[in-house]
Amino acid sequence: MAVVVKWCAATCAVILAVTIVTEGTSVTWPPPPSWLNKTATARYLAHSADWGVVSTISSMFPGTPFGIVQSFADGPVEKSTGIPYFYVSKISTVYANIQENNTVSLTVSEVESRELCSKVDPETPTCAQLTLSGKMIPVPPHDVPFAQTALFTRHPQMKDWPKGHNWLMLKIDVTSVWLIDFFGGAAIIPVEDYFKPWP
């Protein structure tokens, strides 16, 4: 996710233009599905977002929940899988935490688009939120090329990160899907429905 900041000298206003970055192109989030279609909304969020908060149990502060902003991709812009892929260093806090307990949650919000939630508080239910939970595990060797393409096209700077940091391709093996996108409480979406082809 790239945030482009333009300063207006006359008004001292800051204008944030948030875009999904792919190789050679920049596109804004597409219009969301109807709030009535929970499964489509969940996949929309998982695919449109470029980063979220990964929550683990801290190895440094035993028993303490610990959230870390983490870049991810569920596929290249033209292909959604619903599976969050991550580029994680062996010296990172996320990696240290999952060595002791690899059950994690990834939370993303429609507020990342800026446009869709510009007139409401991020906690307002109509500003959709998605939490995917499961085990964070290595990407199988046969899927590494796809994961690498997904991550490196959505996050081009990753290709230049220090090689000595021992980067790994990881993913969440999703076992639960929690969504709130309207008033009236959250929806628990069956995993088998979440992984049906979309869009």
Side-chain angles (χ1 to χ4, degrees):
M1 179 64 64
V3 180
V4 182
V5 182
K6 299 179 180 179
W7 291 93
C8 176
T11 62
C12 297
V14 178
I15 302 172
L16 297 179
V18 179
T19 60
I20 298 174
V21 176
T22 64
E23 287 196 8
T25 62
S26 296
V27 295
T28 57
W29 281 34
S34 166
W35 66 271
L36 295 169
N37 191 335
K38 306 301 184 185
T39 303
T41 300
R43 286 293 295 274
Y44 167 80
L45 286 167
H47 186 58
S48 299
D50 279 328
W51 60 271
V53 175
V54 171
S55 297
T56 60
I57 300 299
S58 176
S59 57
M60 185 178 297
F61 310 107
T64 303
F66 201 88
I68 302 174
V69 171
Q70 197 79 25
S71 298
F72 77 96
D74 85 324
V77 168
E78 70 278 4
K79 182 175 175 60
S80 168
T81 66
I83 301 169
Y85 294 104
F86 302 87
Y87 199 43
V88 176
S89 168
K90 284 188 175 181
I91 64 174
S92 69
T93 300
V94 167
Y95 185 77
N97 290 350
I98 65 173
Q99 298 316 293
E100 297 190 12
N101 185 342
N102 70 335
T103 300
V104 306
S105 291
L106 168 69
T107 299
V108 300
S109 169
E110 210 169 39
V111 75
E112 185 181 328
S113 74
R114 293 288 178 178
E115 302 163 345
L116 299 175
C117 297
S118 61
K119 296 181 180 179
V120 298
D121 188 88
E123 195 174 331
T124 304
T126 53
C127 187
Q129 298 179 50
L130 171 70
T131 297
L132 302 174
S133 300
K135 302 288 187 181
M136 183 172 277
I137 60 175
V139 174
H142 63 274
D143 287 335
V144 166
F146 177 83
Q148 181 172 292
T149 297
L151 287 162
F152 287 5
T153 55
R154 299 283 292 270
H155 304 279
Q157 292 183 24
M158 285 182 174
K159 291 181 289 188
D160 299 321
W161 288 355
K163 304 301 182 186
H165 286 196
N166 297 316
W167 298 95
L168 300 171
M169 295 284 175
L170 304 180
K171 69 174 185 175
I172 296 178
D173 183 15
V174 177
T175 56
S176 68
V177 181
W178 179 98
L179 172 79
I180 188 162
D181 65 346
F182 204 74
F183 298 97
I188 307 300
I189 299 169
V191 173
E192 58 271 22
D193 291 343
Y194 173 77
F195 280 116
K196 288 179 180 177
W198 178 87

